[in-house]
Amino acid sequence: KDRYYNGGSFRLEEYRKPEFEVKVESPAEPVKLGEIINIPVKASYYSGDALNGAKIKYKVTRTSVTDVFYPFYEWDWLYGNGSAWQGYDYVWYPGWRSWGCIAPFYRWYPSRYSPPELISEGESVLNESGSYNIVVDTSSALKLYPSASAHKYQVSAEVTDSSRRTIDGSGSVIASEK
């Protein structure tokens, strides 16, 4: 009998519980578009000690955010959010563009997708308290994209300790127009 064998390879690794954690913290106050954002990255051992002198690689990306809420309808799973929209667009009413909600007819047309834009990336060393401060200037986004109402800044950090163990952490901040 003819037997056919398919060749392949695999890699077996030992699982090791992480010894430290990486936290990307967001600012305590809301951020307005055009301001400078300070985003601290902190790394510490699970025992509580700071992870000082470790290497950090970070990347900051930006995407525009549109946040539209439509009331739930039982057929939204099939037709899309806002399929049973009962309201009208009162664009003639003073101030409606600030508080009104445009009817969701645009969902039948292809939407414009903008991929994440790389804002900054770099490598450094954590200080004696096991932290590093990433500074993001949002004024360029305000100048380049005046029609967008908000921007989301995604921060991803990779910390490598002296024993070459690498742990990732990520977080995000939304800078709004108002």
Side-chain angles (χ1 to χ4, degrees), residues 96-165:
W96 184 84
R97 294 198 187 271
S98 297
W99 56 263
C101 189
I102 297 173
F105 296 117
Y106 68 88
R107 73 177 181 281
W108 300 108
Y109 302 104
S111 61
R112 292 174 35 197
Y113 169 73
S114 61
E117 176 185 359
L118 181 65
I119 299 298
S120 66
E121 64 181 340
E123 295 183 22
S124 187
V125 178
L126 298 179
N127 61 16
E128 60 276 349
S129 65
S131 64
Y132 182 77
N133 193 29
I134 299 173
V135 178
V136 178
D137 188 8
T138 64
S139 61
S140 61
L142 183 62
K143 292 176 188 173
L144 291 173
Y145 307 101
S147 62
S149 61
H151 295 275
K152 180 178 183 180
Y153 292 89
Q154 180 76 27
V155 178
S156 59
E158 187 177 277
V159 176
T160 306
D161 68 349
S162 59
S163 65
R164 296 188 309 226
R165 302 244 358 225

Side-chain angles (χ1 to χ4, degrees), residues 43-63:
S44 61
Y45 289 105
Y46 284 116
S47 63
D49 296 335
L51 190 69
N52 55 359
K55 295 179 183 177
I56 179 172
K57 288 170 74 174
Y58 65 90
K59 184 188 298 188
V60 181
T61 57
R62 185 205 60 79
T63 55

Side-chain angles (χ1 to χ4, degrees), residues 68-71 85 87-90 96-104:
V68 180
F69 169 76
Y70 299 111
W85 185 256
Y88 297 100
D89 294 344
Y90 294 104
W96 184 84
R97 294 198 187 271
S98 297
W99 56 263
C101 189
I102 297 173

